[in-house]
Structures are given as structure tokens and as C-alpha cells.
Amino acid sequence: MIFAIILLPLFSFLVISFVLRPFFNNRPQLSAYTTICAIVGSLILSIWALIAVNGAENHVLTSTSYQWLAIGDTVINIGITMDSLAAIMVVTVSTISLLVQIYSIGYMKGDGGFARYFAFMSLFTASMLGLVLADNLLFLFLFWEGVGLCSYLLIGFWFHKPEAARAAMKAFVVTRLGDFGFLVAIIFLYVKTGTFDIGELHELALAGVLGGSTLTLAAIGIFSGAVGKSGQFPLHTWLPDAMEGPTPVSALIHAATMVTAGVYLVARMFPMIASSETAITVVAIIGGFTAIFAATMGLVATDIKRVLAYSTISQLGYMMLGLGAVGIGYASGHLDGHHALTLGVAVAIFHLFTHAFFKSLLFLGSGSTSHATGTFDMRKMGGLRKVQPWTYVTFVIGSLSLAGIWPLAGFWSKEGILHEAHAYTPVLFWLAMITVFMTAFYMFRAVFLTFHGEYRGGKEGSHSHGLHESPKIIIIPLVILAIFAVIAGWLPVGDFLGADVHFSFFGALTSWLAWASLSFGIAGILLAYIIYVRKLLSAKSIGQSLGPVYTLLIRKYFFDELYERFFVMRFLVDGIFAVFQWIDTYIVDGSVNGIATITVAGGKVMRRLETGQLQVYGLAIFIGILAIIAFLFIFS
Amino acid sequence: MDLYLLSPEISLLALALVVILLDLFIGRKWILGWVSIIGLIVPVIFTLSLWGRNETSFGGALAVDHFSLFFHLFFLGVAALVLLSSTEFARKFAAFRAEYYALILLAATGMMLLASTRELISIFVALELTGISLYVLTGFLKDPKSSEAGLKYLLLGAVASAVFLYGMALVFGLTGTTYLEGIAAAISAEGLLGSPALLMGIVLLVAGFGFKIAAVPFQMWVPDVYEGAPTPITAYLSVASKAAGFAVILRVFYEALGPASLDWGMIFAVLAAITMTVGNIVAIAQKNIKRMLGYSSIAMAGYLMIGLAAVTTEASSALIFFLACYALTNLGAFIAIIAISNKINSDEISDYSGMVRRAPLYALALALCLISLTGIPPTAGFMAKIYIFSAGVNAELLWLVIIAVINSVISAYYYLRVVRVMFLGEPLSKEGVHASSGLRVALSISCLGVLLLGIYPWMLLKFAETAASIFLP
């Protein structure tokens, strides 16, 4: 039954690519319905699994592993784990995926690649669900690459746009750097322990069999995969560019699901990674730094989707910070065993859960504004509040939730992370608090620039039929997501994941931490209000007075330049590639030319033999027989 | 004598005759193709109804066991795919379309018999039934190239048959029987092992069968015939005819010549090394895609022979598994080529330039099959190579496996060159490619199979193991 969660969307992909696209291409809407039916099926099964897990002993549903391959004595099984972590993830993934597919019917209407789009989306959903359910690293890695492939295909969906093709390639190459470390870690662990099974690896790590530098190296290798996939520093550069893909893709893949796979991976491997103090400290520092680093770039971005992309990177950093902070508490002995391991997963996954709803809401909202204006550039928007009331209200709810305003979803999950960070990593805690301020600021900067003031787009930017609210099929998913963006924080996700989190609706307001983060958030909103609505301060003059800093931010800390000009051009092209070039010219080409000469010579011989004359062919058969006989009598 | 055991072959023969008879009454000839495709269900049902039986009939000349039933399904499946891909191609023939379909069915009948007979004379008859049908099919286009190919195939086939008959006669003369079991018993009982006459007989049998599977040095007919034959028939030759050759080799060499396995194991090992190397190296130089796939199929025969050289049950099952993977892959490649060539009227690789932009689905399918032929995961070809190589290593044929791996690397050069031309080249025109629905169905089945076996080979592998389990070395 649990396998069906993966197989349904996979089946939908196969049906669309091998039946609907070749034979019913004139009725593309069929592929959308197929996808939606399959995902509804997955969602129902996921909810069933969630309930069953809740009732099961130890919160784990056991399922049979099937033998997949046996090469010699090495047996590789296909198996799935349905525990509370996986159950939360499959429900999140299938819910968001379903809403995004419904939205896509409206958003992608009339696109020539409609069926192709839904085929990729199905394949993506199947891979993502498989990634979450896999019980061994090899199987997980297969799906990990699967979602990476789908991301590549979907970012470059409009491949005729050169920026899209370039962004797809960039995403693929940059994440591959992290995946390389991940793959090396998997092989390394297999060589050391002889198993790919995640449960067994945890047991080995907790028992201390797997420890020392072996464990640290493997844990950092696995984390490097997560860094690539979740766009953490220094592999963050691909995610903002990935916004060239269709907006529903950004909402599903680059906000709610695939990019969270990195966080999921660290959570899944948490007992193992947290057993190495070095590795878990790296996780905390990278997470905390990415959170504030990405937020600063979000302050100045002018493309609404890029603001959201930086925000996603920043929030993923938060989740990593939550895992890292608890892990440091565990590794330094402040927290005791089982409780710490569940607590870390609980705070990070709770934020992942709420973030999935409000961030996909914000992405879909930005898509709705672009549906009206034909652009994502906030400088050409403004005043949409009046024409798009639904989009406006839902977008504001999402922004408030993201800014961590009580009692919306983001508040609860963010509090959990801040609380742990305060306890175990004080420095990172203060960075996170500043990030709260920045987050509130850039989100409301976006709200005010997009929806308030006067429309600045002029005629040429907008669709011919003028500004309008989006159709129902786009609004309904927004409203549903907005409801979740409010209530998702009230759900007992933390308890379900095994950590005792005391939820008290008003009681939360009694701690100083809550008041501190709320004040930081409200301050951010107010500042945005002062600058962009009341215009008491001019954004331009602030930018000028902070000249070099502003340039640094708007040029994204020169990371693209660093990677492309320095790393790729100087280091790779002038350095390593030059060496390869030499090897290629003198050694490879030399031998290829040699082989070519031999082949040509061989070809001449063959040509002489292959005269097309039957007698020669017949003669060859007899010479062959004689040769075999001679061989036999000589050697036997 | 239980005629029911022969029902798959009889029903297939009947189907061929029905198609020819229908030709007299039916004006719309396209119906004939679909009759032959749908009619294949009958022998399939008969085969399935026999599933699990392990019996012999006709005085021991016919065996119905897992091995023969596996190959029944195999040949029926291949015939179905070839027929599906022929529906459009057959319009090129001015006349005799019914005969074309019927001959495909007759050849399949012969191949099914080859997998299930256990008596040398019957094997010879089955070989000739297969062979003659295929000679005619090769020359079916009636243009100079096709006719020349048909004639060459016929004459060289006759030479091979003669060689095979000499071998048979020698073995019969030594052992006094044509039944495979009897031959094995006589070899052991009369101490014939190592006798030069028996060795001579084995060599001649190897040569006769080597012609069928296109092993070097009996492969020379391949490029000319593959290039000249109608493309669906080239696919048929490269897949079914080769598989039939391997099926009959397994039957004859394990059941009759099992005691002499040391001798023929070594012959096949050496032939395997030479065959794959010659096939791959010459394939590099080819400019015509059908010729290239011809040499590629020679190289494949080399990999397949590792399964014969190892002489273990594991190796035989790996060989059977390889045959199934190779069949799907090669059929997929040829079907994609039929679709594309029909449009561009050329088999030159250079004319495939930029094909991904003109016919993305067909180009992708062809690329998938070429990747599978190279042996890159996640495709059937990868799994097939893994299993046959590991069987080779387990049978202490490490040297042969090393040669095979080097050959696989060489082969990547010419397979992926086609992919490169299709994906990176500039399209020569903007015209798209459209093919009949039958062809698209066949292509979808092959490509799905290639992927499925690359991801989940377990079930087929179990079937292959059951089929091979009847041969104990």
C-alpha cells in the first residue's frame, strides 16, 4: 500500500508520456486530470499512513523490503520506512503538489508544452515521495538524482529562453557539486560498514562502532549533498536563477519540496550526523550564516520571485540552524539521548512544514500578480491591491506568517528554532534575530511595492486585456494555502514527531523570547511601511549613503563573478582544463589517431576481404574452421 | 505422441496459412498485418496453457520445458514487435504483402521449433525453415541491394548448412544416434572424449551455428545483408535469428555435448574475445547506421558467448537474460530508425544531424536504446552486462571479462557518436517525423521494457534462471 504512494504519480508520468502525449496530444487537459487523480490518490494514502503511523507502536509502520539486485554476495533491497518523519513529509509533499497542480491548470493554460509539464510534475512528485520514503541511502540517492533531474527539466521548461536554459544548467551543475560529496560519503560508508541501510547506520553510530574521523567525514559528505540541494552557502547561487522556470514549479520544487530535501536528509540522518560534534557544528554554522546572508540579498532584489527565492534560502538556513543547535546541545552533553534526537528533527521539520504552506502561497501569489501584469519586476507593479483583492489578502497573510507574527503558522515554528538556538548557540541566535527583522522588512517591502501605491507598469508591460483578478482555479489554491498559513502552526506536529512541545495559544506570549522576536518582526514591517508607503525615508538615498554595501548586495556579494570569472575561467579553464587539454591533445588524440590509423588499415584489409564476392566469404568460413581446428589441436 | 504439446507451433503455422489464404479474398491489404498481429494471441495462449509442463513427445524429439516455453514467448513477442513495425513499411512492397507477413510467422515457427527440438534431424529441418523464410524476406524489397543481400544470405546460408550437416554426420557416425540425450550417453559410455573425430564434429557444429549467431569468422554476411534487407527484417535477423541460434546452441551443447564442455567452452571463449573485438573496432568506421548496428550485433554476439564459454547454470541464465534485454534494446533502436528513415529516406548517420529538434520522441527513444547498447544505467543493457560479466568472473574467465569491459568502452565511442550527432548537430531540415500508430506502440513497448529491465530486472531474471535450470553442466 505504501509503495502505491510513489507508484501512483509514477504511473501517471508513464501514462502521460507513453499514451497521452503520443496519441491524445490534441487533448492536453487529459494529462492534467491524470496527474491530479494520481496525486489525490497519493494524498489519501499519505493521510491514511499518517493516521496508521500515529496508532502504530513506536510510530513506525514496518514494510517488507524487496530484493532489487543481487550481484555476488551483495544484496541490495528496495524498502521503505514509514515513520512519523516520513508521514509528515509525504502529507506535506502531496498536499502542496496537489494544490500546485490545480493552480497549474490555470497558469499553464494554452502553453504548447502542457502535457510535457504535467508529465515532469508527476515524475517529480513520484521522485520526491520516493526520496522521503526510501530506507537505504542508495535508493534515496536514486530519487535524490531523480528530483534533481526533474528540477533541471522544469527550470529549463521554456528552453527556448536562453536565460532559462542557462539557469537549468547552472542548477544542475552547482547541485552536482554537493551530490558528489554525498555519493562519496555513501560509498565510503558502505566500504566501512557494508550497509546502505539508514536504520543500521544509526545503530552503528549510536553504539559508537562508527565514530571518529570516519563518522565526521561521512557526515560532512552527506551534509554537502544537503547544502547543494537546499541552496545553502556556498552553493546557494543556483536557486535565485532557478526562478526562470514556470512559477508553479518554483512554488512546488524551489520552495516547498525539493529544496527542503536537504533539510529532510539531515533530519533523516540526524542521529548519525549529531554523533559527530564537528559535523553538527558545521551544520549549525552554515545554517545560521546562510539565514542572514541570503536575507541581506533579499533586501535589495527587485524581482518578486527572487525576493522569495532568497527568503527560501534564508528559511532553509533556519531549519539547518534548528537541527544544528539541538545537535550541538546533544553532542556537548547538555541534552540527553533520545529526547535530543527527536527534538532536533521536530523543530526543523515543524518549520519545514509551515514554511511549505506559506512559501508556496507566496510563490503562487506572485504568479497571480504576474498573470495580471506580465512581469515579476516589482518596479513595474504597484497598486494591485484594488484589482487583485484575493491575491492581496492571501499574499499579506503569507507574508505575516513568514515574518513570524503571532498567531500565524510561521510564529510557532520559528519560535521553536529560536528557542533552541538561544539555548545552545548564542551567537547564531543573535544573527537569527537580526534575520527576523530583515525577513519582515523585505517581505513587506515586496507587499508594499507590489500592491500599494500606483500602478507603474504602463501599457506595454501588461497583458492586452488589462489588469484583472486571476481566475478561480488560481484563487482557490491560494485561499486554501492561506488557511494553512494561518493554522498550520497549531497542529501538533512537534508532538507527533516525538518531542514534547507544549503548545499554548496565549501562553506563548508570556516568554520574553516571543516578545523580542515579535518586536524585531514588527519593527521590520514598520520600517518597510515608513520607506515604501509613507515615503518618509527615501530608499534611493539610503542606498546611496550605503554605497559600497548596496553594490555588494545588489551584485549578490559577487558570488557569480567569483564562481564564473575566477573559479571557472582562471582555475578550471586556465588551470585544470589546460592540463586536460594537453593530455587530450598529446596522449588521447595521439592514441585515438593511432587507433584510427589501425582502424583505417584494418578497414583496408576488411575492404579487400569484403569484396562482396561470395567465393571469398565462403572461403573465409573454411579458413575459420581450419583455424579453430588448428587452435584446438595445438592447445588441447 | 501428444500433439497438444506442439500446439503453439501448429497454431502459428495455421496463422501463416490463414494470412496467405485471406489475401485471396481481401482487398484492403492492411488488414492482413493486423490479422497476423492479433492472431499471435492464439499461440501465446497455447504456450501459457503449457506453462509448467516438463514433458517430451515424438519419441523424445520434442521437449516442452521451461526453456522452450520461455523462448516460445520470446519469439512470439519479437515477431509481434516486428509485425507492428512493419505495418507501414509494408506499403513499400508492390505486391505479396500477405507473403511477407506469413514468412515472418513461418520464421518464428522455425525458431520456436529450434528451441524445443532435441533431435539433430529435426533441428536441421527447423534451421532450414527459419533460414529459407529469412532468405526470402531479405530479398523482399527487390531493389538491387536487397536482392543481392538475399542471394548472398541464401548462398552463404547454404554453405553453413552444409558445414552443419558434416558436423552432424560426424557426431552421428561416432555415436549412432541423432537424439541429443543418446549422443551424450554414447560419448560417456564409449569414451569418445578427446577423440579427434568428435572434436572435428564439434568444430563443424560451432561453425554451422556460428553463422547463425554471427560469430567471427562466420560473420561476413552480416553487414551486406543487414544493409540490404528491409529494416524490420534487419531487426528480426539481428534479434530473433540470433536468439534462436543461441537457444539451439544451449540445447545441443549442454544436452548432447555436455561431457565435452571443456573443449567447446574454450572454443567459445576464444571466439567471444575475437568476435567482440572485431565487431566493435569495425563498427567505429561505419557511416551507415544499419551497417553500424550490424557490426554492433556482431559485438553483442561476442558478449553473449561469454555465457556459453563459462559453462555454468548462472552463465546460461545470464545469457538468456542478456538475449531478452538485447532484443528489446535492438528492436527499439531499429524501430526508431524505421520511423526516421521512412521520412528522410537515408540510413547515413550524418543525415540524423539535429534529429532531436525534428523528432524529439524518436531521437530520445533511439538515444535510450543506444545508451542501453553501450551498457549505461539505468537501462536493460547495463543489467545484462552486469550479470553476464559477473557470471564470467565467477567462472574464472576474468581475462575474457576484462576484454569485454574494454570493448564496452570502445563501443561507447560509436554508439554515443550517433547520440551526439542527433542532439548537438544542426538539423538538415525542419520537417518532423510521423509514424504509424503500430510503430509507435512497438517503440513505446521496447523503450518501456528497456527502462523497466534497467530498473527492476528481478522478475525476468527469475524466469531466465528457471529456463536455464534445465541445463546442468
Side-chain angles (χ1 to χ4, degrees):
Chain A
M1 276 302 265
I2 301 175
F3 267 112
I5 297 179
I6 311 173
L7 293 178
L8 279 171
L10 184 65
F11 185 69
S12 146
F13 163 71
L14 294 176
V15 167
I16 296 173
S17 353
F18 291 98
V19 181
L20 295 182
R21 269 199 79 199
F23 301 111
F24 300 95
N25 210 11
N26 50 344
R27 302 186 58 194
Q29 63 277 28
L30 280 179
S31 51
Y33 299 144
T34 311
T35 309
I36 287 172
C37 287
I39 294 175
V40 166
S42 290
L43 178 60
I44 292 170
L45 287 172
S46 305
I47 293 172
W48 165 78
L50 184 87
I51 295 166
V53 164
N54 200 23
E57 211 178 326
N58 297 332
H59 280 202
V60 178
L61 286 188
T62 44
S63 82
T64 29
S65 301
Y66 298 93
Q67 190 174 345
W68 178 43
L69 275 186
I71 300 163
D73 294 331
T74 313
V75 176
I76 299 171
N77 288 321
I78 304 183
I80 50 186
T81 309
M82 179 56 91
D83 57 2
S84 41
L85 173 57
I88 287 284
M89 291 295 294
V90 286
V91 171
T92 316
V93 171
S94 42
T95 310
I96 305 275
S97 179
L98 177 62
L99 292 171
V100 168
Q101 309 310 335
I102 294 172
Y103 176 98
S104 301
I105 297 180
Y107 194 84
M108 301 301 288
K109 199 174 166 192
D111 192 288
F114 196 81
R116 179 165 59 98
Y117 173 84
F118 279 96
F120 290 163
M121 282 299 228
S122 292
L123 182 63
F124 170 77
T125 307
S127 312
M128 187 66 206
L129 292 167
L131 190 163
V132 169
L133 289 171
D135 76 341
N136 74 61
L137 282 176
L138 196 69
F139 197 33
L140 191 153
F141 188 75
L142 278 181
F143 287 117
W144 182 268
E145 292 301 316
V147 291
L149 173 70
C150 294
S151 162
Y152 168 78
L153 293 171
L154 284 164
I155 295 170
F157 183 76
W158 289 313
F159 52 82
H160 42 80
K161 270 185 13 191
E163 311 91 66
R166 217 179 101 84
M169 188 61 80
K170 184 169 174 182
F172 197 73
V173 172
V174 172
T175 50
R176 210 55 58 246
L177 286 174
D179 292 353
F180 180 70
F182 185 21
L183 184 61
V184 170
I186 293 175
I187 295 167
F188 182 59
L189 277 172
Y190 181 75
V191 170
K192 288 282 178 185
T193 64
T195 181
F196 293 117
D197 190 274
I198 294 172
E200 283 176 35
L201 286 171
H202 287 335
E203 280 164 25
L204 292 173
L206 292 176
V209 180
L210 183 65
S213 53
T214 309
L215 177 66
T216 304
L217 282 175
I220 289 181
I222 291 174
F223 180 60
S224 78
V227 166
K229 197 114 300 190
S230 287
Q232 299 292 290
F233 177 86
L235 299 182
H236 60 276
T237 53
W238 67 270
L239 190 54
D241 288 7
M243 298 300 126
E244 293 295 341
T247 303
V249 169
S250 311
L252 178 62
I253 300 187
H254 305 121
T257 56
M258 185 194 81
V259 290
T260 60
V263 177
Y264 167 78
L265 180 67
V266 176
R268 173 59 80 202
M269 303 306 292
F270 192 58
M272 200 191 105
I273 297 178
S275 299
S276 158
E277 190 167 1
T278 319
I280 201 68
T281 311
V282 170
V283 173
I285 292 174
I286 295 271
F289 179 71
T290 306
I292 190 162
F293 173 76
T296 54
M297 291 185 282
L299 297 175
V300 297
T302 52
D303 179 307
I304 186 166
K305 277 180 80 181
R306 280 180 184 256
V307 173
L308 294 173
Y310 285 120
S311 163
T312 302
I313 300 175
S314 165
Q315 296 300 312
L316 292 166
Y318 259 112
M319 300 170 204
M320 292 288 186
L321 172 63
L323 283 161
V326 178
I328 288 174
Y330 170 76
S332 60
H334 291 299
L335 280 165
D336 63 312
H338 184 68
H339 172 64
L341 296 179
T342 49
L343 180 66
V345 173
V347 294
I349 297 300
F350 188 28
H351 195 51
L352 189 159
F353 177 73
T354 58
H355 174 260
F357 292 105
F358 59 71
K359 189 51 67 62
S360 47
L361 164 63
L362 291 171
F363 267 112
L364 295 185
S366 77
S368 174
T369 63
S370 140
H371 199 76
T373 62
T375 179
F376 288 104
D377 191 334
M378 294 191 291
R379 288 170 299 192
K380 292 180 187 153
M381 293 187 184
L384 293 180
R385 181 168 46 134
K386 290 161 208 141
V387 280
Q388 295 197 301
W390 285 100
T391 309
Y392 171 64
V393 171
T394 52
F395 198 87
V396 168
I397 291 175
S399 305
L400 285 170
S401 194
L402 173 57
I405 302 301
W406 183 89
L408 278 69
F411 171 78
W412 305 98
S413 53
K414 191 174 282 185
E415 280 307 292
I417 291 173
L418 289 174
H419 185 266
E420 303 310 327
H422 179 248
Y424 306 109
T425 53
V427 177
L428 295 177
F429 165 74
W430 286 108
L431 288 182
M433 286 300 263
I434 300 170
T435 313
V436 170
F437 168 77
M438 291 181 179
T439 309
F441 175 78
Y442 66 63
M443 272 326 296
F444 277 85
R445 171 175 172 264
V447 169
F448 296 141
L449 281 176
T450 311
F451 293 100
H452 290 248
E454 290 304 316
Y455 181 62
R456 298 179 292 275
K459 276 260 158 121
E460 69 271 35
S462 73
H463 284 202
S464 51
H465 44 284
L467 297 175
H468 57 88
E469 180 60 295
S470 299
K472 277 206 189 75
I473 197 135
I474 286 184
I475 295 301
I476 290 169
L478 289 180
V479 172
I480 297 174
L481 283 169
I483 295 170
F484 276 108
V486 177
I487 65 163
W490 309 343
L491 302 173
V493 175
D495 290 317
F496 181 71
L497 288 168
D500 330 314
V501 184
H502 299 292
F503 175 80
S504 157
F505 198 76
F506 293 103
L509 293 175
T510 55
S511 80
W512 73 271
L513 192 81
W515 282 108
S517 77
L518 267 179
S519 343
F520 272 76
I522 290 167
I525 298 175
L526 279 180
L527 183 64
Y529 182 74
I530 289 168
I531 296 178
Y532 294 103
V533 179
R534 303 310 298 259
K535 308 222 159 75
L536 296 176
L537 289 166
S538 145
K540 215 174 182 180
S541 64
I542 300 176
Q544 275 165 356
S545 63
L546 292 171
V549 178
Y550 184 76
T551 316
L552 196 63
L553 293 183
I554 206 92
R555 301 295 293 275
K556 301 171 254 174
Y557 294 94
F558 295 97
F559 259 87
D560 284 337
E561 283 83 355
L562 178 72
Y563 285 166
E564 272 153 47
R565 296 246 174 87
F566 180 75
F567 186 71
V568 176
M569 295 306 292
R570 290 280 160 72
F571 183 65
L572 286 181
V573 175
D574 293 352
I576 295 178
F577 289 170
V579 175
F580 280 128
Q581 175 92 43
W582 186 87
I583 293 175
D584 190 58
T585 317
Y586 291 98
I587 297 176
V588 180
D589 273 7
S591 30
V592 169
N593 289 343
I595 291 174
T597 318
I598 294 169
T599 314
V600 171
K604 275 181 187 160
V605 176
M606 288 294 289
R607 199 177 306 151
R608 204 165 299 153
L609 290 178
E610 287 214 0
T611 48
Q613 284 184 355
L614 274 170
Q615 301 90 312
V616 179
Y617 290 2
L619 190 64
I621 292 179
F622 284 103
I623 293 173
I625 293 170
L626 287 177
I628 297 175
I629 293 172
F631 167 81
L632 264 187
F633 284 92
I634 291 167
F635 287 94
S636 63
Chain B
M1 202 167 92
D2 187 354
L3 264 183
Y4 190 68
L5 292 177
L6 205 56
S7 57
E9 285 89 344
I10 294 177
S11 56
L12 192 54
L13 187 67
L15 178 61
L17 298 177
V18 165
V19 171
I20 293 183
L21 282 179
L22 275 182
D23 186 33
L24 298 177
F25 310 109
I26 287 183
R28 276 175 291 180
K29 302 296 179 196
W30 60 268
I31 295 174
L32 298 171
W34 290 101
V35 167
S36 18
I37 293 163
I38 295 163
L40 284 176
I41 295 171
V42 180
V44 168
I45 291 173
F46 277 121
T47 307
L48 291 178
S49 75
L50 290 168
W51 199 260
R53 289 231 212 165
N54 195 355
E55 288 167 45
T56 57
S57 184
F58 296 92
L62 178 87
V64 169
D65 47 29
H66 279 117
F67 180 79
S68 57
L69 293 176
F70 178 92
F71 274 99
H72 282 11
L73 289 184
F74 180 96
F75 294 128
L76 290 169
V78 173
L81 289 176
V82 170
L83 286 168
L84 275 174
S85 59
S86 297
T87 47
E88 191 175 341
F89 200 91
R91 290 200 203 122
K92 287 195 183 177
F93 309 135
F96 305 119
R97 266 202 249 170
E99 283 78 358
Y100 174 83
Y101 296 124
L103 282 168
I104 290 180
L105 297 174
L106 282 175
T109 316
M111 295 177 202
M112 281 162 69
L113 279 172
L114 271 179
S116 51
T117 45
R118 306 174 67 203
E119 195 264 338
L120 287 177
I121 307 267
S122 318
I123 289 176
F124 183 72
V125 172
L127 264 180
E128 290 301 295
L129 175 58
T130 317
I132 293 171
S133 313
L134 291 175
Y135 305 148
V136 181
L137 284 170
T138 303
F140 222 84
L141 279 179
K142 303 215 173 122
D143 59 12
K145 247 185 177 175
S146 171
S147 308
E148 188 190 328
L151 188 63
K152 270 184 185 160
Y153 192 24
L154 166 70
L155 290 173
L156 289 169
V159 172
S161 293
V163 171
F164 175 76
L165 271 176
Y166 276 125
M168 234 173 79
L170 273 174
V171 172
F172 172 72
L174 284 167
T175 59
T177 174
T178 55
Y179 287 86
L180 300 185
E181 267 178 334
I183 294 171
I187 290 176
S188 308
E190 293 173 35
L192 290 172
L193 270 186
S195 96
L198 182 69
L199 274 183
M200 188 74 191
I202 289 176
V203 172
L204 291 174
L205 289 182
V206 168
F209 291 135
F211 175 82
K212 207 92 206 123
I213 62 172
V216 175
F218 315 110
Q219 90 299 359
M220 296 187 87
W221 57 278
V222 167
D224 291 348
V225 170
Y226 278 27
E227 194 186 345
T231 315
I233 298 309
T234 310
Y236 202 35
L237 281 175
S238 74
V239 171
S241 169
K242 195 181 289 278
F246 276 100
V248 71
I249 289 176
L250 282 170
R251 196 55 105 181
V252 169
F253 282 77
Y254 274 94
E255 290 198 345
L257 303 168
S261 65
L262 269 183
D263 294 317
W264 54 260
M266 192 168 58
I267 301 180
F268 280 121
V270 174
L271 285 187
I274 298 174
T275 303
M276 61 180 89
T277 311
V278 169
N280 278 320
I281 296 222
V282 184
I284 292 178
Q286 300 308 314
K287 294 189 174 72
N288 178 300
I289 195 160
K290 278 167 80 179
R291 258 185 117 81
M292 186 202 90
L293 283 177
Y295 283 105
S296 137
S297 89
I298 295 174
M300 287 292 159
Y303 302 130
L304 281 157
M305 276 192 283
I306 299 175
L308 296 174
V311 205
T312 57
T313 318
E314 187 199 357
S316 323
S317 69
L319 164 59
I320 295 172
F321 178 70
F322 196 118
L323 277 174
C325 294
Y326 165 72
L328 280 172
T329 309
N330 227 33
L331 280 176
F334 271 114
I335 295 169
I337 289 170
I338 295 171
I340 296 172
S341 296
N342 254 358
K343 184 76 204 173
I344 63 176
N345 274 324
S346 161
D347 295 325
E348 296 302 309
I349 293 172
S350 52
D351 291 338
Y352 279 59
S353 175
M355 196 46 75
V356 73
R357 280 190 247 170
R358 297 174 59 183
L361 281 181
Y362 297 105
L364 269 177
L366 183 53
L368 175 77
C369 294
L370 292 171
I371 283 171
S372 178
L373 284 172
T374 320
I376 296 172
T379 54
F382 170 72
M383 289 294 170
K385 279 190 180 168
I386 283 272
Y387 281 106
I388 210 151
F389 289 177
S390 77
V393 172
N394 290 342
E396 293 174 0
L397 284 171
L398 188 63
W399 64 272
L400 184 56
V401 173
I402 291 175
I403 294 181
V405 170
I406 295 174
N407 265 292
S408 295
V409 176
I410 296 178
S411 73
Y413 175 75
Y414 62 85
Y415 290 129
L416 300 185
R417 187 184 52 189
V418 179
V419 177
R420 196 191 66 195
V421 167
M422 287 196 303
F423 279 70
L424 300 179
E426 283 300 314
L428 300 178
S429 87
K430 280 189 177 161
E431 257 183 305
V433 167
H434 301 283
S436 68
S437 53
L439 196 132
R440 279 183 287 170
V441 170
L443 189 59
S444 300
I445 293 174
S446 326
C447 290
L448 269 183
V450 166
L451 276 177
L452 191 72
L453 288 180
I455 294 163
Y456 195 71
W458 206 237
M459 227 151 61
L460 182 68
L461 205 66
K462 280 270 177 259
F463 275 124
E465 273 171 17
T466 334
S469 66
I470 66 158
F471 304 121
L472 294 173

